[in-house]
């Protein structure tokens, strides 16, 4: 054991405890227990150059136990990622680089935002899938330009979450051998010993998933962990290192639930320093040897990146076409102008938007070979399959279509990992109602501003016979309320194309919400939909009433406009595929679509009216779903729940009387 | 093998296929493959009296693979639950008793609504927990008045869902030996062979959970299944019967993905009849022997219930006090008038509503010993522990506090099972942001109108240092949009008491949304909160402006009212703990709180403004969160995001100018 290496391990422990102490809040126990694991990864095995945290072929590290953020901040500081000690001292303070949970995009070197348990391990599976697919695409004999591992540390909390089951079962099926998970097995949870709620045999569970499981009897010893990491690298399966650790290792609170989520107290920190033989008495004081030791790692990392740069330079010469593709794949902007691609917008006749969605996806896939996605076992229904592009599997990494199994939550979190990795455009698909299952992962897409595309088909009572459990009602409102997520519910095939253009060009995540049933194709629909709301069918002069709808209910508004016209009433139909895009327009445009003086307004949507109030105001009305749906053919359900042109017209007249 | 018993098995297969055929939509494959499993349960082992589907000590049956609803309808019809053949012929039709997925409360004999995969198995765990707790409470030597099994059939889809992991891991930890799950292991999913996405070793996984796993080589043979069920009943662990079946058994499409979700076709049905030696050629024609055979089961069930009724009559004599408690526990109405319980409403000084929530919970627990609930490993934080009432565990079934582990989704779905079982009042608790993880199970509470109480603490940026991943923004909007769910966000401790009263008296599920930080106690708060919105602090005469808020932001409205008064502006403060309760009031009351003529309105909420439009209209404004939060002390975050009395007052002036 190298004295200096052990010093770095203890530095992580001490620094983490001191950061929490200064903040007077946080989680000291996890970083102290996981310090040796983290050092074995960061100091011994991980390929990284702290001076260039964006090096594409770096190994990835994911702290799935995000509450242990001080572990990550200690590592970033000690290993020279440019996180100064002053920021460590501002842990959990407003405006600091060291927030309560690690935030990707906020602090350099953080690969993903974690905190909600289970998300990180699923992101890690996404990283490993991206690596495998890109390696298959770009590597050539002697040119392994994509060749890196994904490491993740997770604890009992992640293990209990269903998300870890979904992600790890899939990882085993796919034999993602470059995924190495370190399980911080400390037997402590917030309510006490894990024994009260969690007695499962985790190693056996992971063997059942097809993982390579390695027991590390003393997870507080970096050398034992390092030896296990070496073994893991030789496996043809994903590896789980079961590291037996003590929460709050080194402190008098070691092994206790109270070490989890509160500062240790100054006296306990002093006792810890004594127990670990720590040479510095001052807070945040580090012996020079610590930085000398991590400096060796930085040097090695710089050298590794240089070797890769040399390799890549030769690759560019040897495979200029591939190198050009590499550039395109790693550029987030579109390699063509979608407005000029006439074929993208060409449709004829009626179509369910799920079908036109699949059509546009396939048109795009022909131009964007780095599309990488699939469905949670519903590809035939939500039309999310890219024809002729193969299936990604344990045996074949070249396929672009993913089979997630019935695992919605992991699907979304994996797509976050794929998007974070870079090089690929991630999408996923399920029934709209099952967005419920992946809600938090969709939130994480938004928090990180990842351009993940969500295809959410079967979007209303239009689902029909499957009944209320399968008919979304509140999901539009729920997703529209997420900051940064663009919810796009097209009224016809051309609006559908606009939705895809939005998804491929916005930095934000986009949810494409599609019908099961056929919809008309409207004159004048198309790229206008990118404004979120627009006048699809106008009347002459100032309208008496505005009829607004998204998706399939535009049809009832168009019918109502016609009926009202017969009664001499001027109605304007506003198609509103996306609240978010509309709200982002300037006031003049918004007022041109919905003039402030026109207060007779009716919004129509086969979903909860919740959220439409901002457009219809106190004097308007909605035709919407205020209950759950019912099982039956949709052609009966629509009139039953009031979605007819006649009812919309009647509602319009009633608001005009107000 | 009895010829007639085999005939019933085939009757289930044929009837299910014919129901789907007539509907021209549905899932024939699952019922055909699971018919033998279902018969072994319903015909051989399950204790049930079809003539009284509400018998409290009946065994429970949960079809977790809800898409196989025709299986359940066939069983209900054939076993004499009063579901006529005409209803089978109206499968998936509007208004029928046979909707696309089984709906509890809609069709007699259906224990829970299923369809979203994984929910059923987790409900079943809840049933088994309820049974164990009630048995411990009420049974006495020679008087096992609570003594029943919970059976569930689940397929590959449920197995892949994270929810099944959470629920089954907990079931193993708790050694729920009266839970018997039959796994329909047919190796087929919608996208094809399960091999493409699901290669895990399920039996090993369940052994890792601590289950008793029994292999049934031929799951299409009811006798093999029956033999395994007998073994399972002797186990001290929950049991998983791994039944190897063929989807679409008996038909030419057996073992094919195409048997899953579409009608077989008339020719294939004829071929199936031939293959199974079915004696009737007409659709929906059943041989008399089928009903004769199931009639034997009905007779046995009637006798079993009669024996129980005799036992219970003797129990009433032997244990009159317990029998009286039994009545109270099984009565959903409150055994006292909460309005007259002065102690329930007594509070002093400032308090975080999470603390007063815990206080009220404990006051109620003293009067309602059938409260049964707990937290997903956050009890110390969300104050959901009932002091002195013990912990429910494998070793002790008497405890009323549940430790769910870090398993939010299963927690909610288990509470649905507990509520469905009857006899107990179910509640559960986590951080508000993690309601995301259990969204669909909360939806299921609402679809079934189950009085489950959700305690959701740490309800805004008031969370502070934990940062954006832990700060809810869109969750209020998302939950408010669910039909039937009551979302209650109290402004102080007395409103908190009102929230609990609502939760204990409404038939609907209730979400109690509480703060981490201290809040004032307002004069005039209290039972008025049960109206959802009320005038907390008024001005003289008609208000110039309405200030509305829920929860912690009532404080900024009160401050703004004071500031505006200094400027001669009359502001009314409306406390809005619950949109749903307010919307349910009559128009006169609503207009008395928010007079239609007062258009200057400001809503204040440390959450997305989404949904407030219906109260503030086109001329009002909101002070709300339009982005995610940030990590830092909440006393800095509140002003940073605009939640100050000064900003609310300024906003009020700006809307008055409109």
């Amino acid at each position: 054991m190298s004295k200096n290496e052990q010093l770095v391990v203890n530095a992580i422990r001490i620094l983490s405890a001191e950061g929490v102490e200064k903040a007077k809040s946080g989680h000291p126990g996890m970083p102290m227990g996981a310090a040796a694991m983290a050092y074995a990864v960061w100091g011994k095995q991980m390929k990284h150059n702290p001076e260039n945290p964006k090096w594409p072929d770096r190994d990835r590290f994911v702290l799935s136990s995000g509450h242990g953020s001080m572990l990550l901040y200690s590592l970033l500081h000690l290993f020279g990622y440019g996180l100064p000690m002053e920021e460590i001292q501002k842990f959990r303070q407003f405006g600091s680089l060291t927030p309560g949970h690690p935030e990707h995009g906020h602090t350099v070197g953080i690969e993903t935002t974690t905190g909600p348990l289970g998300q990180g391990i699923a992101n890690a599976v996404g990283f490993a899938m991206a690596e495998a697919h890109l390696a298959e695409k770009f590597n050539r004999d002697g040119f392994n330009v994509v060749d890196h591992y994904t490491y993740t540390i997770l604890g009992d909390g992640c293990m209990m979450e269903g998300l870890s089951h979904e992600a790890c079962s899939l990882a085993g099926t796919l034999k993602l051998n470059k995924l190495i998970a370190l399980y911080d097995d400390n037997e402590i949870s917030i309510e006490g010993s894990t024994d009260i709620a969690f007695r499962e045999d985790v190693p056996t569970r992971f063997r059942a998933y097809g993982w390579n499981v390695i027991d590390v009897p003393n997870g507080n010893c970096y050398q034992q962990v390092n030896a296990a990491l070496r073994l893991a690298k030789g496996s043809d399966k994903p590896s789980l290192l079961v590291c037996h650790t003590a929460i709050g290792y080194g402190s008098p609170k070691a092994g206790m639930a109270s070490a989890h989520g509160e500062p240790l107290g100054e006296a306990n920190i002093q006792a810890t320093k004594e127990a670990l033989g720590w040479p510095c008495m001052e807070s945040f004081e580090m012996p020079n040897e610590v930085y000398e030791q991590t400096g060796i790692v930085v040097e090695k990392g710089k050298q590794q990146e240089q070797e890769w740069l040399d390799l890549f330079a030769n690759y560019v010469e040897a495979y200029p076409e591939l190198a050009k593709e590499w550039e395109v794949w790693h550029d987030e902007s579109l390699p063509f102008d979608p407005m000029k691609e006439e074929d993208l917008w060409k449709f004829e006749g009626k179509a369910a938007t799920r079908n036109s969605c699949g059509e546009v996806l396939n048109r795009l896939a022909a131009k964007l070979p780095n599309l990488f996605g699939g469905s949670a076992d519903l590809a035939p229904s939500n039309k999310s399959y890219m024809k002729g592009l193969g299936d990604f599997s344990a045996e074949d990494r070249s396929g672009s279509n993913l089979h997630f199994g019935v695992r919605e939550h992991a699907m979304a979190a994996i797509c976050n990992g794929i998007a974070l990795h870079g090089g690929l455009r991630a999408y996923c698909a399920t029934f709209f109602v099952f967005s419920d299952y992946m809600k938090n992962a969709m939130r994480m897409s938004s928090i990180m501003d990842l351009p993940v595309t969500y295809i959410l088909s079967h979007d209303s009572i239009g689902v029909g016979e499957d009944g209320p459990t399968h008919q979304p009602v509140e999901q539009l409102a729920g997703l529209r309320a997420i900051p940064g997520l663009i919810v796009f519910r097209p009224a016809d095939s051309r609006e559908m194309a606009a939705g895809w253009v939005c998804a491929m060009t916005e930095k934000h995540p986009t949810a494409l919400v599609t019908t099961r049933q056929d919809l008309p194709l409207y004159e004048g629909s198309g790229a206008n939909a990118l404004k979120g709301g627009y006048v699809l069918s106008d009347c002459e002069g100032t309208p008496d009433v505005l009829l607004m709808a998204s998706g399939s209910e535009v049809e009832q508004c168009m019918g109502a406009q016609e009926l009202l016209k017969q009664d001499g009433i001027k109605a304007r139909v506003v198609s509103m595929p996306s609240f978010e895009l509309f709200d982002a327009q300037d006031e003049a445009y918004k007022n041109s679509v919905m003039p402030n003086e026109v207060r007779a307004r009716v919004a129509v949507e086969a979903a909860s009216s919740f959220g439409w109030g901002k457009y219809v105001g106190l004097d308007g009305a909605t035709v919407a779903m205020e209950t759950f749906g019912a099982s039956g053919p949709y052609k009966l359900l629509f009139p039953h729940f009031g979605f007819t042109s006649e009812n919309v017209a009647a509602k319009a007249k009633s608001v005009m009387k107000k």
Side-chain angles (χ1 to χ4, degrees), chain A:
Chain A
M1 184 168 355
S2 143
K3 191 174 151 283
N4 283 356
E5 293 193 88
Q6 186 56 44
L7 209 57
V8 180
V9 174
N10 287 336
I12 297 168
R13 291 175 176 140
I14 299 293
L15 193 52
S16 299
E18 288 182 332
V20 172
E21 199 64 28
K22 178 109 198 292
K24 296 194 178 65
S25 89
H27 301 78
M30 186 277 161
M32 299 176 83
M37 292 155 63
Y39 180 76
V41 175
W42 284 55
K44 306 296 284 181
Q45 293 296 333
M46 190 162 82
K47 180 174 76 172
H48 61 136
N49 176 10
E51 297 191 359
N52 180 14
K54 291 284 166 199
W55 171 25
D57 200 39
R58 70 193 180 279
D59 287 346
R60 267 63 169 182
F61 176 80
V62 173
L63 184 69
S64 196
S65 321
H67 56 276
S69 55
M70 258 314 302
L71 175 69
L72 205 37
Y73 301 139
S74 296
L75 292 165
L76 291 172
H77 169 73
L78 296 170
F79 282 84
Y81 274 80
L83 187 69
M85 189 61 96
E86 302 87 71
E87 291 292 334
I88 300 287
Q89 293 169 341
K90 288 191 279 183
F91 178 50
R92 292 170 82 89
Q93 300 312 300
F94 187 53
S96 76
L97 291 174
T98 49
H101 291 84
E103 296 180 22
H104 172 74
H106 183 84
T107 316
V108 167
I110 289 178
E111 301 282 4
T112 178
T113 299
T114 52
L117 294 173
Q119 298 293 337
I121 174 70
N123 295 163
V125 172
F127 278 109
M129 286 167 69
E131 195 268 352
H133 185 60
L134 290 168
E136 181 69 26
K137 164 73 188 175
F138 288 106
N139 290 354
R140 291 295 180 271
D141 255 5
F143 291 98
N144 282 349
V145 292
V146 182
D147 187 9
H148 51 268
Y149 286 86
T150 302
Y151 298 96
T152 180
I153 292 182
L154 74 167
D156 293 306
C158 289
M159 284 297 183
M160 285 188 253
E161 289 289 359
L163 184 48
S164 69
H165 163 63
E166 295 182 5
C168 296
S169 174
L170 184 61
T173 295
L174 293 175
K175 288 193 163 51
L176 298 173
N177 62 309
K178 294 175 88 174
L179 172 64
I180 301 177
L182 296 92
Y183 170 33
D184 178 21
D185 185 8
N186 64 26
E187 299 180 4
I188 285 294
S189 65
I190 293 176
E191 293 180 5
S193 158
T194 51
D195 204 44
I196 60 172
F198 185 59
R199 298 186 191 178
E200 73 181 40
D201 174 354
V202 173
T204 299
R205 169 184 156 202
F206 273 70
R207 283 192 195 99
Y209 292 155
W211 284 51
N212 170 40
V213 179
I214 304 170
D215 192 71
V216 181
N218 182 2
N220 299 305
C221 165
Y222 78 89
Q223 289 175 307
Q224 282 196 18
V225 179
N226 187 38
L229 287 171
R230 284 166 182 272
L231 280 175
K233 283 185 164 179
S235 174
D236 62 347
K237 302 170 182 173
S239 291
L240 182 77
L241 276 54
V242 181
C243 303
H244 301 275
T245 60
I247 192 168
Y249 180 88
S251 83
K253 284 189 175 182
M256 293 160 67
S258 64
H260 171 81
E262 55 193 71
L264 295 177
E266 201 47 61
N268 283 325
I269 289 188
Q270 289 309 324
T272 307
K273 287 183 176 178
E274 275 174 46
L276 296 176
W278 184 248
C280 310
M281 282 302 110
E282 286 297 305
S283 289
F284 301 106
E285 192 190 347
M286 292 285 126
N288 275 337
E289 293 89 334
V290 165
Y291 298 105
E292 283 166 25
Q293 183 63 38
T294 55
I296 296 170
V297 175
V298 177
E299 281 312 309
K300 187 177 159 204
K302 280 162 73 172
Q303 195 184 319
Q304 285 175 315
E305 187 186 0
Q306 192 52 56
E307 284 164 16
W308 183 85
L309 287 169
D310 295 344
L311 179 79
F312 198 81
N314 292 333
Y315 179 77
V316 173
E317 299 228 338
Y319 300 98
E321 288 304 314
L322 271 174
K324 212 190 268 178
E325 280 195 79
W326 173 285
E327 290 306 320
V328 174
W329 284 43
H330 285 81
D331 184 350
E332 283 188 14
S333 61
L334 273 187
F336 56 88
D337 180 350
M339 296 308 159
K340 293 185 179 152
E341 294 289 330
E342 284 181 23
D343 286 353
L344 200 62
W345 303 88
K346 238 178 224 164
F347 295 93
E348 274 178 30
K350 287 190 159 228
T353 46
R354 65 167 165 155
N355 287 325
S356 32
C357 181
E359 178 60 36
V360 181
L361 167 64
N362 276 278
R363 291 177 188 179
L364 286 169
K367 293 169 182 296
L368 296 170
N370 65 337
L371 273 165
F372 192 50
S375 177
D377 198 39
L378 286 171
S381 291
N382 47 40
K383 314 295 178 187
S384 52
Y385 197 81
M386 297 181 288
K387 293 179 195 87
L389 296 181
D391 298 342
F392 181 85
S393 71
E395 293 75 28
D396 182 359
R397 305 300 199 199
S398 72
S400 299
N401 289 288
L402 302 176
H403 295 284
F404 289 103
V406 189
R407 303 181 180 103
E408 298 83 6
H409 201 173
M411 173 171 76
I414 285 170
C415 281
N416 287 339
I418 293 168
L420 285 161
H421 183 281
L424 295 165
R425 294 175 183 270
Y427 74 89
C428 61
T430 184
F431 285 164
F432 189 25
V433 82
F434 299 132
S435 63
D436 281 4
Y437 277 58
M438 55 187 188
K439 165 65 179 41
N440 196 259
M442 296 181 77
R443 178 174 216 252
M444 298 305 287
S445 304
S446 294
I447 284 190
M448 292 188 269
D449 252 342
L450 301 175
V452 172
T453 305
Y454 293 92
I455 299 172
L456 303 167
S457 74
H458 295 62
D459 71 347
S460 75
I461 50 166
V463 166
E465 291 84 347
D466 275 342
T469 57
H470 283 54
Q471 292 166 351
V473 171
E474 73 278 20
Q475 283 70 15
L476 276 172
L479 296 190
R480 282 172 180 157
I482 302 178
L485 175 72
I486 298 172
V487 180
F488 199 101
R489 185 172 185 248
D492 73 0
S493 299
R494 278 190 295 261
E495 286 196 5
M496 186 71 246
W500 266 110
V501 169
C502 168
M504 291 295 104
T505 52
E506 286 279 349
K507 203 184 141 42
H508 304 287
T510 304
L512 302 174
V513 180
T514 68
T515 64
R516 176 182 181 230
Q517 74 275 20
D518 276 352
L519 302 182
L521 188 66
Y522 300 106
E523 216 171 297
S525 70
N528 263 342
L530 286 166
K531 291 184 176 153
Y534 66 104
V535 181
L536 177 63
S537 176
D538 211 357
C539 50
E540 278 189 33
T542 304
D544 298 317
V545 62
L546 300 183
L547 306 178
M548 312 181 232
S550 78
S552 43
E553 291 71 65
V554 166
E555 187 171 3
Q556 284 75 43
C557 289
M558 295 292 274
Q561 183 190 41
E562 199 55 43
L563 292 174
L564 291 165
K565 198 177 176 185
Q566 293 166 14
D567 294 337
I569 296 170
K570 294 180 290 181
R572 168 184 288 181
V573 176
V574 176
S575 178
M576 286 284 287
S578 170
F579 285 19
E580 300 78 21
L581 295 179
F582 183 70
D583 292 349
Q585 304 303 316
D586 61 36
E587 287 305 317
Y589 176 76
K590 285 191 274 190
N591 198 54
S592 77
V593 176
M594 300 181 193
N596 188 45
E597 65 273 22
V598 183
R599 294 299 175 107
R601 299 172 173 204
V602 179
V604 189
E605 199 164 60
S608 167
S609 63
F610 199 83
W612 277 99
K614 66 175 166 175
Y615 301 125
V616 300
L618 301 179
D619 304 311
T622 54
V623 176
M625 293 293 297
E626 305 306 341
T627 63
F628 291 106
S631 170
Y634 83 92
K635 288 192 175 178
L636 294 180
L637 297 180
F638 261 68
H640 174 77
F641 288 105
F643 300 100
T644 61
S645 299
E646 290 73 18
N647 190 41
V648 173
K651 192 68 98 172
K653 289 179 187 172
S654 80
V655 295
M656 284 174 62
K657 285 193 196 124
K658 273 196 190 173

